[in-house]
Amino acid sequence: MPEHSTSAVTAIPALRDLSTGTDSTGTDSTGTDSTGTDSTDIPAHDELAVRLRSAAGRFVRRLRAERPRHGLTMTQISALFTVANGGGNLTPRRLAEIERIQPPAATRTVAALEERGLVRRAPHPTDGRQIVLSTTPAGEALIVADRQAREAWLAARLAELDEADQAALRAAVAILDRLARA
């Protein structure tokens, strides 16, 4: 592991979650993480895995809480983002594969999004038996508002950190990107 990776990983546990009294990895002053695991009994790399998973989960849940109230379920908002990333070439079957849901659930989700005017169906360009999905202008606007709300909250929290913590997070972002692509 490159030297900067090690320093970023060791610097991040110093961040404190002000609402719970645990550090950013979920470990309290007794050595017990938020999963109830005594971190003193776990090998260092396994402990890091447990703590990183726990912190990432809390972070994602916190970001979700900053979403605007648009009345969509998490499945619907996730499907909407996936359709937007599909560039107008996404079939309902492929949506189900990407979202890891059953095709009937994808059909219901698409119907709900279509009913709200957020996605549209069009004939498949080469296979008349299929359709492709794309977002509508209203769907795109919802995506933009959703991202802006979460990014504004995160930017405000990052601005509260000192330079050392911000530098550690910059390094951690690169590491996390590499892990996600492995």
Side-chain angles (χ1 to χ4, degrees), residues 43-134:
H45 65 289
D46 291 346
E47 177 186 353
L48 179 58
V50 169
R51 294 172 75 184
L52 180 58
R53 179 204 43 80
S54 181
R58 279 192 314 281
F59 181 73
V60 167
R61 285 188 298 278
R62 184 63 181 91
L63 273 177
R64 282 182 186 154
E66 293 304 317
R67 283 204 145 108
R69 301 284 184 237
H70 41 55
L72 296 179
T73 66
M74 287 308 300
T75 300
Q76 291 168 343
I77 192 72
S78 181
L80 181 62
F81 274 75
T82 299
V83 169
N85 291 332
N89 296 317
L90 195 68
T91 65
R93 177 167 295 285
R94 182 67 183 132
L95 174 65
E97 291 169 358
I98 293 169
E99 292 294 311
R100 295 181 177 195
I101 58 176
Q102 295 298 312
T107 299
R108 287 189 300 274
T109 300
V110 168
L113 293 172
E114 189 176 33
E115 184 177 302
R116 293 192 56 174
L118 302 174
V119 299
R120 69 169 74 78
R121 301 171 194 240
H124 192 282
T126 59
D127 185 348
R129 300 168 295 165
Q130 294 192 50
I131 62 165
V132 290
L133 306 169
S134 61

Side-chain angles (χ1 to χ4, degrees), residues 6 14 16-17 25 27 40 49 57 75 77 79-80 108 111 115 120 148-149 151 158 160-161 174 178 181:
T6 304
R16 302 298 291 180
D17 180 331
T25 63
T27 302
T40 60
T75 300
I77 192 72
L80 181 62
R108 287 189 300 274
E115 184 177 302
R120 69 169 74 78
Q148 286 177 340
E151 288 171 2
L158 292 173
E160 296 168 355
L161 300 177
R178 282 198 318 267
R181 296 174 201 279

